[in-house]
């Protein structure tokens, strides 16, 4: 048995023993079974030795060869493979497999490493790099920096807060690398650092020479709905939308783009607030200075519809010169129509200049003046009293509109629909699209109105009565309707209402239930006015006339009787006081009998009428 304690048989120096304990056997064992190699994870030069339809085989100078898919060598824009056998290219070594004599290589990662190296150098040197903002994320934006994905914090987009980042999207911009971590693929960039650094140098110089009327060159850095902010080389200025062009524009982006360099003039400068207002249109002549000569009143010119409103349409006659066609000047006949029903945006129209106000920069235009006036042709071909035919275009509470031509309508008022029934009732018998005949009652070209009448096609029964009858005439009428307060009778086709109090002298005679539909009665015309179209009838007035006639007749009979009595008394020898007393007695008897005589004829006539 060996004795390890015996230094003569087995002896190890302390130094050797310490070195043995310092060796990391676990790591040595791991390295034995892995692909660890100095070139793994780095970019090396490789020579293309073979190509096929799918892969490219490269020799990277080791005992192993590697293959890379052919698509990694395609050009980004043309998709063509520009590499060939014998070319030397940079490749990234992902791993080595000594047992299979193969290496896993990548051309894409090699390109990325090249870019990262470039970015590292730019970061160290403080140089700028180009990138494109292509997406928005929480807290900022995603930026493509020559193929490497980077992050742009929202506060680093511009020195001023930006509410709308769309003008900065998808266009090349200058950035400064703020942070780069190759292991974590972490890239942070800043655009604000570039703009601040470039502007600070010239700021003091520009501010010292800033004054109104000075022409400067600026770069559009931001666009809003109300204008654009320009970088003047250290200080920002606002170019308001109204100072961009003499003509109307809907949005500044129609004329300007972010990054565009333009010449502008300083229109206002506030030294205290250091605010600068800029103008672009002021660098060009104002087209309104020659508008009187270019567009004289009465001239017909062509223009393009640029904008539609409820009150009219704006027409661009030339860049910077617009006129308004008021809605009332669009059509001879269509008065309450929206301009969009007559013209459309972008349409080229011929208009007539009606009025010019150069101080207010306004031009009034007329569209209908360049078209034939249908009212002139209508007034020449039609006269009051003519019969016309048309189609009911629409109905309203006050009448119906009849289409006389394609552009001209006539109005039949409810009062001119029928002689026999009320206008509201007559209106119910018509509907849209009906063919009707009418008579022209009036034509007013100035107000563009035509009054029509349908009932005038038939003779006016009232006019017939007024021409053939007179006030005080006794007429026969027919009862057509009754109610508690009156009866309605017809006289030659004209209906007249007789109040209950006018039906008789006695209370019993004023009962409307005594009359039946179709019954014929006599009445007196008490009112007849052709001008006012008024007609009144009364049975009571007729009875009163008959009473007065009866009294008058009795009075005549009384006088004759008085003479006979006197003669008889004289013959009898009665004279003086005796004769006067006899005459008084006879007169008293006659007066007592008179009321009975007055009532008898009227009562007899009413009984006959009731039968």
């Amino acid at each position: 048995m060996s004795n390890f304690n015996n230094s003569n048989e087995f002896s190890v120096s302390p130094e050797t023993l310490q070195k043995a304990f310092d060796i990391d056997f676990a790591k040595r064992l791991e390295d034995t079974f892995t692909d660890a190699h100095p070139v793994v994870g780095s970019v090396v030069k490789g020579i293309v030795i073979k190509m096929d339809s799918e892969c490219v085989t490269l020799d990277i100078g080791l005992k192993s060869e590697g293959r890379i898919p052919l698509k990694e060598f395609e050009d980004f824009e043309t998709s063509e493979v520009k590499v060939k056998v014998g070319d030397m290219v940079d490749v990234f070594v992902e791993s080595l497999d000594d047992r299979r004599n193969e290496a896993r290589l990548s051309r894409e990662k090699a390109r990325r490493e090249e870019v990262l190296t470039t970015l590292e150098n730019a970061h160290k040197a403080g140089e700028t790099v180009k990138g494109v903002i292509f997406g928005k994320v929480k807290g900022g934006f995603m930026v493509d920096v020559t193929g490497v994905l980077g992050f742009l914090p929202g506060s680093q987009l511009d020195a001023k807060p930006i509410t709308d980042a769309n003008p900065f999207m998808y266009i090349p911009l200058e950035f400064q690398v703020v942070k780069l971590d190759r292991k974590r693929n972490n890239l942070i960039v800043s655009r604000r650092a570039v703009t601040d650094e470039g502007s600070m140098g010239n700021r003091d110089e520009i501010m010292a020479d800033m004054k109104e009327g000075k022409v400067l060159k600026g770069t559009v850095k931001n666009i809003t709905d109300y204008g654009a902010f320009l970088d003047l080389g250290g200080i920002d200025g606002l170019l308001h939308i109204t100072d961009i062009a003499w003509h109307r524009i809907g949005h500044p982006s129609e004329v300007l783009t972010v990054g565009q360099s333009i010449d502008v003039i300083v229109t206002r400068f506030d030294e205290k607030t250091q605010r600068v207002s800029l103008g672009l249109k002021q660098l060009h002549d104002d087209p309104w200075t020659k508008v009187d000569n270019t567009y004289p009143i009465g001239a017909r010119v062509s223009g393009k519809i640029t904008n539609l409103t409820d009150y009219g349409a704006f027409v661009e006659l030339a860049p910077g010169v617009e006129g308004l066609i008021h809605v009332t000047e669009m059509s001879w006949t269509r008065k309450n129509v929206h301009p969009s029903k007559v013209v459309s945006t972008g349409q080229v129209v011929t208009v007539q200049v009606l009025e010019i106000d150069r101080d207010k920069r306004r031009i009034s235009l007329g569209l209908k003046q360049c078209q034939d006036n249908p009212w002139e042709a209508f007034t020449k071909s039609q006269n009051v009293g003519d019969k016309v035919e048309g189609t009911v275009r629409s109905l309203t509470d006050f009448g119906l509109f009849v289409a006389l031509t394609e552009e001209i309508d006539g109005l039949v008022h409810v009062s001119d629909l029928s002689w026999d029934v009320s206008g509201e009732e007559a209106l119910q018998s018509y509907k849209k699209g009906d063919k009707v005949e009418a008579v022209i009652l009036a034509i007013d070209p100035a107000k563009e109105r035509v009054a029509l009448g349908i009932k005038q096609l038939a003779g006016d029964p009232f006019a017939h009565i007024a021409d053939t009858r007179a006030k005080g005439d006794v007429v026969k009428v027919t009862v057509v309707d009754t109610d508690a307060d009156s009866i309605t009778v017809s006289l030659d086709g004209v209906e007249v209402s007789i109040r209950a109090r006018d039906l008789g002298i006695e209370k019993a005679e004023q009962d409307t239930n005594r009359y039946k539909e179709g019954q014929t009665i006599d009445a007196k015309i008490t009112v007849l006015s052709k001008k006012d179209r008024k007609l009144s009838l009364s049975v009571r007035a007729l009875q009163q006339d008959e009473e007065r006639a009866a009294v008058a007749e009795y009075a005549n009979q009384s006088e004759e009787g008085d003479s006979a009595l006197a003669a008889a008394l004289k013959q009898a020898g009665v004279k003086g006081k005796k004769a006067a007393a006899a005459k008084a007695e006879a007169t008293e008897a006659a007066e007592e009998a008179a009321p009975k005589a007055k009532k008898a004829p009227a009562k007899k006539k009413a009984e006959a009428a009731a039968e």
Side-chain angles (χ1 to χ4, degrees):
M1 182 175 183
S2 300
N3 185 3
F4 290 100
N5 294 325
N6 188 344
S7 60
N8 293 330
E9 296 182 357
F10 188 78
S11 176
V12 180
S13 66
E15 294 79 3
T16 303
L17 186 61
Q18 184 64 42
K19 290 181 180 180
F21 283 118
D22 290 340
I23 297 174
D24 190 347
F25 288 100
K27 186 175 184 306
R28 290 285 183 92
L29 181 62
E30 182 180 355
D31 291 342
T32 304
F33 293 99
T34 61
D35 294 331
H37 194 278
V39 299
V40 174
S42 61
V43 178
V44 299
K45 297 289 185 180
I47 300 175
V48 179
I49 59 176
K50 187 171 62 174
M51 295 177 62
D52 55 31
S53 60
E54 296 183 356
C55 296
V56 175
T57 304
L58 298 99
D59 181 4
I60 59 174
L62 300 176
K63 62 181 180 179
S64 300
E65 296 177 350
R67 294 190 302 171
I68 299 177
L70 187 65
K71 63 182 300 182
E72 291 193 21
F73 290 89
E74 292 180 354
D75 185 83
F76 292 113
E77 297 181 356
T78 63
S79 299
E80 295 180 1
V81 177
K82 296 184 178 181
V83 70
K84 61 183 182 297
V85 175
D87 287 350
M88 181 174 290
V89 295
D90 290 334
V91 294
F92 182 83
V93 181
E94 294 183 334
S95 64
L96 296 174
D97 190 345
D98 293 336
R99 289 171 295 180
R100 298 182 181 179
N101 291 328
E102 291 183 358
R104 291 182 58 190
L105 308 177
S106 172
R107 174 59 180 162
E108 293 293 340
K109 291 184 179 181
R111 288 174 175 170
R112 177 181 174 82
E113 290 298 320
E114 291 176 3
V115 174
L116 290 175
T117 300
T118 302
L119 294 177
E120 279 184 341
N121 295 334
H123 182 34
K124 293 177 182 178
E127 298 175 350
T128 62
V129 295
K130 284 193 174 183
V132 176
I133 301 174
F134 66 89
K136 187 174 183 180
V137 295
K138 184 178 181 180
F141 307 89
M142 301 304 297
V143 184
D144 180 1
V145 184
T146 59
V148 177
L149 184 64
F151 175 69
L152 172 66
S155 60
Q156 297 300 312
L157 177 60
D158 196 80
K160 295 182 178 181
I162 301 299
T163 57
D164 182 14
N166 288 327
F168 297 92
M169 304 287 283
Y170 308 108
I171 58 174
L173 299 172
E174 295 285 339
F175 297 94
Q176 191 173 70
V177 179
V178 176
K179 180 180 179 182
L180 176 63
D181 189 337
R182 298 184 69 144
K183 293 182 179 180
R184 297 181 180 180
N185 291 327
N186 189 357
L187 173 63
I188 300 176
V189 295
S190 170
R191 179 179 173 274
R192 178 177 178 178
V194 177
T195 57
D196 289 346
E197 182 179 352
S199 61
M200 290 303 294
N202 301 327
R203 179 182 178 88
D204 295 338
E205 181 180 349
I206 294 175
M207 291 299 297
D209 195 31
M210 183 67 66
K211 60 182 178 180
E212 294 183 5
K214 184 177 180 60
V215 178
L216 301 172
K217 184 175 289 293
T219 303
V220 179
K221 60 184 300 184
N222 188 23
I223 295 177
T224 66
D225 292 337
Y226 54 86
F229 287 96
L230 273 67
D231 182 3
L232 304 176
I235 185 172
D236 290 348
L238 172 62
L239 176 59
H240 197 270
I241 186 172
T242 57
D243 291 316
I244 294 177
W246 290 111
H247 61 279
R248 181 191 302 269
I249 60 174
H251 195 273
S253 59
E254 297 177 9
V255 180
L256 305 173
T257 57
V258 174
Q260 180 181 358
S261 180
I262 57 175
D263 290 331
V264 290
I265 187 171
V266 179
T267 58
R268 188 168 62 255
F269 174 59
D270 190 333
E271 295 183 1
K272 294 182 179 180
T273 61
Q274 294 189 345
R275 290 182 179 178
V276 181
S277 297
L278 305 173
L280 178 61
K281 71 180 185 181
Q282 287 80 358
L283 296 176
H284 308 281
D285 293 336
D286 184 359
W288 278 87
T289 56
K290 302 178 180 179
V291 72
D292 291 330
N293 297 328
T294 308
Y295 306 104
I297 294 177
R300 293 190 176 186
V301 294
S302 296
K304 183 174 68 175
I305 304 294
T306 58
N307 190 27
L308 298 178
T309 65
D310 293 337
Y311 53 85
F314 286 93
V315 181
E316 183 183 49
L317 303 179
V321 179
E322 279 190 340
L324 172 67
I325 308 174
H326 195 268
V327 66
T328 58
E329 303 296 341
M330 287 194 160
S331 173
W332 290 110
T333 56
R334 305 168 69 182
K335 295 302 181 184
N336 297 319
V337 67
H338 193 273
S340 61
K341 301 295 183 180
V342 182
V343 294
S344 58
T345 303
Q347 179 182 350
V348 177
V349 295
T350 300
V351 293
Q352 181 173 318
V353 179
L354 304 179
E355 186 180 351
I356 297 177
D357 188 338
R358 193 170 64 176
D359 295 334
K360 295 182 179 179
R361 306 175 77 87
R362 293 177 181 176
I363 299 180
S364 298
L365 303 173
L367 180 65
K368 69 181 183 181
Q369 287 78 2
C370 297
Q371 304 168 352
D372 293 335
N373 186 353
W375 285 98
E376 294 180 358
F378 185 81
T379 53
K380 290 179 181 179
S381 61
Q382 302 292 342
N383 298 300
V384 174
D386 289 350
K387 292 183 180 180
V388 292
E389 183 177 319
T391 303
V392 176
R393 197 188 297 272
S394 62
L395 292 89
T396 65
D397 294 338
F398 53 85
L400 53 90
F401 286 94
V402 179
L404 302 179
T405 66
E406 187 175 347
E407 297 179 308
I408 295 179
D409 292 348
L411 172 64
V412 183
H413 195 268
V414 288
S415 61
D416 293 315
L417 289 174
S418 174
W419 296 112
D420 304 327
V421 298
S422 65
E424 291 75 11
E425 183 180 350
L427 189 62
Q428 296 177 1
S429 61
Y430 295 92
K431 64 181 182 298
K432 185 177 180 180
D434 285 351
K435 293 283 187 180
V436 297
E437 289 186 349
V439 175
I440 298 178
L441 304 180
I443 302 176
D444 190 343
K447 295 182 179 179
E448 299 179 356
R449 295 177 182 175
V450 178
L452 303 175
I454 293 179
K455 72 180 184 181
Q456 286 79 3
L457 292 170
D460 185 356
F462 193 94
H464 175 72
I465 293 175
D467 293 338
T468 58
R469 309 284 186 178
K471 179 180 178 181
D473 287 355
V474 177
V475 294
K476 288 188 177 295
V477 295
T478 302
V479 179
V480 295
D481 192 17
T482 63
D483 58 33
D485 299 323
S486 64
I487 66 171
T488 302
V489 298
S490 175
L491 174 61
D492 297 338
V494 177
E495 294 186 354
V496 184
S497 177
I498 303 177
R499 297 174 299 179
R501 56 173 292 185
D502 290 323
L503 292 176
I505 298 176
E506 300 294 335
K507 191 70 174 178
E509 296 172 339
Q510 299 175 3
D511 184 5
T512 58
N513 293 323
R514 299 173 62 247
Y515 297 89
K516 305 297 181 184
E517 184 177 347
Q519 180 181 346
T520 302
I521 62 175
D522 292 334
K524 179 183 178 181
I525 299 177
T526 57
V527 177
L528 179 57
S529 174
K530 186 176 182 179
K531 179 181 178 181
D532 299 330
R533 299 184 66 83
K534 289 186 178 181
L535 175 62
S536 299
L537 301 175
S538 174
V539 176
R540 176 175 178 165
L542 177 59
Q543 291 178 355
Q544 289 175 340
D545 287 347
E546 291 176 345
E547 284 185 1
R548 281 192 290 269
V551 171
E553 181 181 356
Y554 181 80
N556 291 334
Q557 293 176 359
S558 177
E559 289 178 359
E560 293 175 358
D562 185 39
S563 300
L565 178 61
L569 291 174
K570 186 177 181 180
Q571 186 177 3
V574 180
K575 298 181 179 179
K577 293 182 179 180
K578 291 183 179 180
K583 183 178 179 180
E585 183 178 350
T587 302
E588 184 178 355
E591 290 178 351
E592 290 179 358
K596 295 180 181 180
K598 293 178 185 177
K599 295 180 181 179
K603 183 176 182 181
K604 185 177 181 181
K605 200 168 188 67
E607 290 175 354
E611 292 175 357

